[in-house]
Amino acid sequence: MVRSSSPIRAFRLVRMRLDIQDLPNIADLGDSITQGASDQSMGFGMAAELQEAYVRRLDVINRGYSGYNTDHALDIITRAFPTPEQASIKFLTIWFGANDANKNPTQGQYVPAERFKSNLLAIINHPTVKVHSPNIILITPPPFEESLLAELQIKWGATGETRKARDAQEYAEIVKQVGKEAGVPVVDAWGLCMEKAGWKGESNEILPGGDAEVRNEVLAGLLHDGLHLGPSGYQIVFDGLIAVMKEHWPEFPPYKMPFTEKVPWEIELGDQIANRSRASAEGPPEAPPDDPPWGAERPKSSPPPHNLSIITGLLATIIVLALVGTGLKGTSDAQSLSLSGESACPQYPPIKAFSSEEEKLDKDISDEINSEAFFAKSVKRLQGAVQIPTESFDDMGKVGNDSRWEIFKDFHKYLEDTFPLVYSKLEFTPINTYGILLEWKGKNESLKPYLFMGHQDVVPVPAVTESRWKYPPYSAHYDGRFIWGRGASDCKNVVIGVLEAFETLLEKNYKPERTLLAGFGFDEEISGYQGAQFIAEYLETARGKDSIDLILDEGGLGIIEMDGAVFALPGLGEKGYFDVKISVETAGGHSSVPPDHTGIGILSQIISAIEATPYEPELTPINPYFTTLQCSAEYSPGIDPWLRKTIQASLTSKKAAKTVADYLSTRNIFQRYLMQTSQATDLVLGGVKINALPEKVYAVVNHRIAVESRVADVRSNLESLIAGKILSKFPLSLDAWGSVSGNTSTSSVGKIVLEDFSDSLEPSPVSPSDSEAYKIFTGTIKQVMGEDIIVAPSLMTGNTDTKFYWGLSKNIYRFSPLRDEGKANGHTVDERVGMKEHIEGVRLYAQLILNGDRS
């Protein structure tokens, strides 16, 4: 029996080893034939047996993509594998050709032979691959069996010719050529299968599988549908792979490598348990006399060896504990694990007053804000704010150097006149002239402040659109339901609403326990570098990091109905931001003798390649929108049953999450970009004269980066895309942020330069949805707006001024308290806000102040 090591120590050891990040990887990259290598439903599974051969020594990552060819592989390779910081790739198998060789034009998979060859070389030499310095193995496509493929065509409802056996042979030869040129060993899957079929390789010999009218039964036994390998076919390729690995890397013997780290009973009893194998390539090690080979049936009268039964039971128990402790981290499809039965969308109760005194105060404030007199005053306050055109322009100079900032003096004067108690009783600090910082000192200095944010500026109204407005854009017309005008809903309503809440509490002689801050920038619409950035720096200097308990800014997705339930959707995170300038520099000259492709033409091909290869939608628990969907699945009565089930399955399944992401992204473009990095070419400049060839042209591509990604991923993706799609066609060099590749010889006709166009921004930290600040905030939403409202964390595709405040608080929430029916047309013609909804927002701000003092 196991001695000395306690169960706790054993548990910790096994748990550590079950973390896949601890082990180097064997990565398998390919098409559906690679993907199917993990399928054991028909029998032998190649990837499963490969994992068995290296269990607890190397982890197998299956990156097989159904329908993919080498063009597709180059598009996704930067996202297909972990970074070296996450895990190391020790071996890489590359298995393409079956789709590349498909010349049926209706299926769009064909990659011409020369490009197939250059693509394979590009994959081998790709920066994403080379950074791991893996041992690379190429695998040729298997044969095609044309009679079975003809049946498959009918089954799929496909038109046009089937794949041809001769094409599989041609592409297998290309793989072997690439292996020879690159010095990479090759597993000849085509040759091994054809040898099994009895082919001798003579020139006049009929190619097995090459007759759609006559079935080759041997190949039919290896290829279950004429294209995809069955168990026998995978076994042949697996044996070939193991033979190559043993020949070239004998230090990695399958089934016999020492474990990375042994658990206590293996140290005491040796490797007799672990080193048994079912693999035909290696054969099982000799078993102890009283123990039959793995998989053989033990006589029912013979009990298992005493030590083995104890160890097996203990091992099973510890593995279960370890899987619970790691949330199934070692399983390839595991995403997260909920063991407690708790809701995936926890709801916190409406805040209640602790005493009759607090209850009376709540009622007094609510009654005041809901009164007709307050409503009338609020209409005039918001109208006056909207009537001042505080426009910010992209080309504005620094404060003091550009007269267009001076309109904000008028706005400040208006606020001082409109909110006399705020400006007489609170401490006002102008920040960089036009930034507003108000401080209402609380009685309890041990409580961290709340900060309410908004911005004073609005996007400009182009003169050409003024005639299209129902009411003039700065008239602030009130039609009895809406106030119409630029900034009415983005976000003069927020600035006025916060100040109205402050003014109302001051009128009631309220003295807060907690210090309250209001910070209003003046250039949010042009990124906030002169307004909010200065305010944040001032606060961080004066108060220190993590010095604010809760920050509430504009934004979020508001309050909307989704499939029969009403949701409040505060933004707990924001996507990243990255502008890339792509320049093409080529020789000039007279346009009467142009080259085949001018710089503008090459740039257009780059843009076309970018647009042809969008990022994939991803849905992971990192993304607050993942929780939005879980909330919808749990609380929306009208959601499609299939979608509800699949969303809920995504809690523990990456495959289900991907299904949801793909489905939603095809239904709604806004939903797509909550899950996907966007890329939009927004600026282009090229050419200065009609008869002169352009010598330098450029485009700027804007990216809003998904929360799972980083700026570095976008850089790497663009570099790889241009290297794979453009440098293979044009003799150009590529300077990607200082890293030079491509044709740098005298035969080069120019260069492509990738560089940052403006400051980049990583995706924001995701604010907690279980903190005390969040519970007070969401409890206030329910208290004011209705107990039946479901509060669900969500994500913003754009950025607010909060990007400067990350160091001041972990609890940053973006939420404009407006129901969907109470706002319209932000940033465009006929922008408006409903006064009923605005008043409800004022109540929320005031009640949050009261509730924050009671925590």
Side-chain angles (χ1 to χ4, degrees):
M1 58 186 293
V2 178
R3 299 187 303 273
S4 70
S5 294
S6 71
I8 295 297
R9 286 182 62 191
F11 161 71
R12 286 174 179 163
L13 185 60
V14 174
R15 180 177 180 182
M16 179 177 67
R17 296 268 46 86
L18 284 174
D19 186 343
I20 78 166
Q21 301 295 337
D22 288 347
L23 300 177
N25 299 144
I26 301 174
D28 298 330
L29 177 64
D31 50 33
S32 59
I33 298 173
T34 296
Q35 180 177 314
S38 294
D39 184 2
Q40 301 177 77
S41 62
M42 293 187 292
F44 177 83
M46 176 175 163
E49 189 58 43
L50 186 61
Q51 182 63 82
E52 168 68 13
Y54 290 100
V55 66
R56 287 174 52 199
R57 294 98 160 172
L58 302 168
D59 278 338
V60 175
I61 302 176
N62 189 320
R63 292 294 184 264
Y65 299 92
S66 178
Y68 270 33
N69 56 31
T70 51
D71 281 347
H72 299 128
L74 284 170
D75 291 342
I76 56 92
I77 194 167
T78 58
R79 307 190 297 280
F81 297 121
T83 64
E85 292 77 23
Q86 295 169 324
S88 65
I89 296 176
K90 184 63 67 175
F91 287 91
L92 172 62
T93 67
I94 302 171
W95 195 357
F96 286 102
N99 292 325
D100 299 78
N102 180 13
K103 295 180 180 178
N104 185 333
T106 67
Q107 295 174 11
Q109 294 178 314
Y110 176 54
V111 175
E114 279 304 311
R115 193 163 86 236
F116 174 63
K117 181 178 179 180
S118 67
N119 283 353
L120 286 176
L121 289 167
I123 293 170
I124 292 170
N125 294 297
H126 196 281
T128 300
V129 171
K130 294 187 77 172
V131 72
H132 288 276
S133 300
N135 301 312
I136 298 176
I137 303 168
L138 292 170
I139 306 178
T140 70
F144 297 150
E145 211 295 319
E146 291 185 23
S147 69
L148 278 174
L149 278 172
E151 295 177 4
L152 185 63
Q153 286 271 90
I154 296 171
K155 179 180 176 181
W156 284 351
T159 58
E161 287 190 331
T162 63
R163 291 169 168 86
K164 299 299 180 185
R166 286 290 177 190
D167 294 332
Q169 181 186 23
E170 177 189 0
Y171 279 63
E173 287 299 321
I174 293 172
V175 174
K176 290 191 283 187
Q177 291 172 19
V178 170
K180 186 174 181 180
E181 291 178 19
V184 172
V186 177
V187 178
D188 187 4
W190 188 91
L192 291 168
C193 291
M194 294 299 280
E195 182 182 353
K196 191 78 172 177
W199 190 63
K200 305 298 183 185
E202 297 174 2
S203 59
N204 60 349
E205 191 178 359
I206 296 175
L207 195 65
D211 189 338
E213 304 298 326
V214 180
R215 180 160 302 171
N216 184 287
E217 295 299 336
V218 176
L219 288 183
L222 302 178
L223 302 156
H224 68 85
D225 58 6
L227 170 64
H228 299 97
L229 292 167
S232 300
Y234 277 123
Q235 181 74 69
I236 289 173
V237 179
F238 175 79
D239 292 346
L241 176 63
I242 291 297
V244 165
M245 293 180 75
K246 290 170 67 176
E247 176 186 354
H248 291 271
W249 299 282
E251 68 273 25
F252 292 92
Y255 310 104
K256 292 184 178 180
M257 276 181 67
F259 285 150
T260 304
E261 190 168 339
K262 295 181 181 180
V263 292
W265 52 84
E266 291 166 344
I267 295 171
E268 296 197 26
L269 297 179
D271 290 347
Q272 65 175 6
I273 300 168
N275 279 338
R276 300 195 231 170
S277 172
R278 293 173 289 195
S280 62
E282 186 69 18
E286 186 175 343
D290 64 344
D291 195 13
W294 188 295
E297 185 176 351
R298 184 184 299 281
K300 293 183 180 179
S301 59
S302 303
H306 180 64
N307 280 348
L308 182 58
S309 64
I310 293 173
I311 291 167
T312 304
L314 180 59
L315 180 62
T317 301
I318 290 172
I319 286 176
V320 169
L321 289 172
L323 288 173
V324 170
T326 58
L328 295 181
K329 193 172 183 180
T331 59
S332 61
D333 190 43
Q335 178 140 282
S336 65
L337 187 64
S338 176
L339 297 173
S340 64
E342 294 180 358
S343 167
C345 179
Q347 297 297 298
Y348 301 107
I351 304 295
K352 303 290 186 183
F354 292 146
S355 65
S356 58
E357 200 173 278
E358 290 179 353
E359 191 172 342
K360 181 180 183 304
L361 177 61
D362 287 355
K363 186 176 185 306
D364 286 348
I365 298 300
S366 177
D367 288 348
E368 170 63 25
I369 295 172
N370 285 332
S371 69
E372 290 184 8
F374 186 93
F375 190 98
K377 284 193 295 185
S378 186
V379 169
K380 291 191 177 299
R381 286 166 175 164
L382 186 51
Q383 281 182 308
V386 171
Q387 287 166 351
I388 302 172
T390 50
E391 295 179 334
S392 58
F393 300 85
D394 287 343
D395 63 345
M396 291 186 77
K398 289 187 176 181
V399 171
N401 295 335
D402 192 322
S403 61
R404 288 176 292 179
W405 291 118
E406 293 178 6
I407 190 67
F408 288 90
K409 292 179 182 177
D410 298 341
F411 190 63
H412 284 204
K413 179 67 165 59
Y414 174 77
L415 295 181
E416 291 177 30
D417 293 342
T418 306
F419 300 103
L421 293 179
V422 168
Y423 277 85
S424 63
K425 294 183 177 293
L426 274 55
E427 182 179 327
F428 167 52
T429 305
I431 305 292
N432 195 21
T433 307
Y434 299 117
I436 295 173
L437 179 61
L438 294 164
E439 181 176 357
W440 191 355
K441 290 189 183 297
K443 293 182 288 186
N444 188 344
E445 293 185 0
S446 68
L447 296 175
K448 290 183 181 180
Y450 279 6
L451 169 62
F452 295 86
M453 293 177 58
H455 59 89
Q456 308 165 59
D457 62 315
V458 301
V459 296
V461 176
V464 295
T465 69
E466 289 183 11
S467 62
R468 290 159 45 195
W469 284 72
K470 184 173 183 179
Y471 306 103
Y474 291 110
S475 67
H477 177 81
Y478 178 55
D479 64 0
R481 174 72 175 94
F482 294 97
I483 287 179
W484 299 66
R486 172 63 81 237
S489 65
D490 184 14
C491 74
K492 295 282 180 69
N493 61 310
V494 170
V495 173
I496 297 301
V498 169
L499 293 176
E500 285 182 314
F502 279 26
E503 189 82 5
T504 302
L505 291 169
L506 286 165
E507 287 171 354
K508 297 293 183 181
N509 202 30
Y510 182 73
K511 294 179 173 55
E513 292 291 324
R514 183 191 302 273
T515 292
L516 301 169
L517 302 169
F520 303 136
F522 56 90
D523 61 342
E524 191 270 353
E525 300 294 0
I526 54 173
S527 297
Y529 291 112
Q530 298 197 66
Q533 184 173 30
F534 278 71
I535 297 172
E537 290 172 355
Y538 176 90
L539 286 172
E540 200 162 309
T541 300
R543 294 182 172 274
K545 288 187 175 295
D546 196 28
S547 57
I548 295 176
D549 191 49
L550 178 145
I551 296 176
L552 181 60
D553 194 12
E554 56 139 352
L557 303 182
I559 302 168
I560 62 174
E561 187 273 337
M562 294 194 302
D563 295 310
V566 179
F567 289 81
L569 300 171
L572 271 63
E574 297 178 352
K575 296 176 74 175
Y577 183 100
F578 186 33
D579 290 328
V580 179
K581 182 179 179 181
I582 305 173
S583 303
V584 178
E585 299 178 17
T586 52
H590 201 281
S591 59
S592 63
V593 283
D596 291 340
H597 300 279
T598 67
I600 292 174
I602 295 170
L603 181 63
S604 68
Q605 292 202 34
I606 294 173
I607 295 170
S608 179
I610 290 170
E611 293 186 345
T613 51
Y615 286 83
E616 289 286 320
E618 288 185 84
L619 188 60
T620 73
I622 297 171
N623 188 341
Y625 187 59
F626 181 89
T627 309
T628 307
L629 294 174
Q630 296 301 330
C631 292
S632 179
E634 186 167 342
Y635 291 105
S636 293
I639 192 172
D640 180 272
W642 169 84
L643 183 58
R644 183 196 309 278
K645 181 179 178 181
T646 311
I647 289 171
Q648 291 173 335
S650 70
L651 281 167
T652 54
S653 169
K654 293 178 183 176
K655 183 178 180 181
K658 181 60 175 168
T659 298
V660 172
D662 289 342
Y663 172 72
L664 293 178
S665 68
T666 61
R667 292 183 65 203
N668 184 292
I669 193 170
F670 180 77
Q671 286 180 306
R672 180 199 308 170
Y673 289 115
L674 290 169
M675 303 177 286
Q676 175 180 329
T677 295
S678 63
Q679 46 186 15
T681 304
D682 294 328
L683 296 176
V684 176
L685 182 68
V688 295
K689 200 171 187 299
I690 191 60
N691 63 347
L693 297 173
E695 295 172 304
K696 182 174 182 178
V697 298
Y698 74 82
V700 179
V701 182
N702 171 259
H703 300 82
R704 302 302 174 107
I705 305 171
V707 293
E708 296 85 356
S709 192
R710 291 291 178 266
V711 170
D713 299 326
V714 176
R715 286 195 180 113
S716 177
N717 182 65
L718 269 176
E719 181 178 0
S720 302
L721 176 69
I722 292 172
K725 298 282 190 180
I726 304 301
L727 297 190
S728 59
K729 295 194 289 186
F730 301 105
L732 297 163
S733 66
L734 172 62
D735 180 346
W737 294 278
S739 175
V740 179
S741 60
N743 189 337
T744 57
S745 70
T746 55
S747 64
S748 174
V749 298
K751 68 177 179 179
I752 301 168
V753 179
L754 303 181
E755 58 189 321
D756 293 4
F757 181 73
S758 60
D759 291 340
S760 60
L761 180 71
E762 298 287 1
S764 76
V766 175
S767 297
S769 57
D770 58 358
S771 65
E772 190 63 24
Y774 181 79
K775 293 175 184 178
I776 293 170
F777 167 53
T778 59
T780 304
I781 292 174
K782 286 177 173 282
Q783 178 185 5
V784 172
M785 298 185 162
E787 296 187 12
D788 292 337
I789 284 180
I790 306 303
V791 184
S794 197
L795 178 74
M796 290 192 62
T797 55
N799 300 113
T800 64
D801 275 342
T802 58
K803 62 179 176 280
F804 300 111
Y805 291 76
W806 297 349
L808 281 163
S809 180
K810 295 180 178 64
N811 301 304
I812 300 177
Y813 305 108
R814 305 148 187 92
F815 184 66
S816 296
L818 287 173
R819 296 178 188 267
D820 200 41
E821 61 271 22
K823 60 181 177 178
N825 295 15
H827 283 214
T828 190
V829 171
D830 286 344
E831 181 179 351
R832 57 194 181 271
V833 68
M835 276 306 302
K836 179 178 69 173
E837 290 76 16
H838 173 70
I839 294 295
E840 191 176 38
V842 178
R843 281 189 58 213
L844 178 79
Y845 293 131
Q847 193 63 55
L848 182 57
I849 292 169
L850 298 176
N851 291 341
D853 277 356
R854 299 164 185 172
S855 59

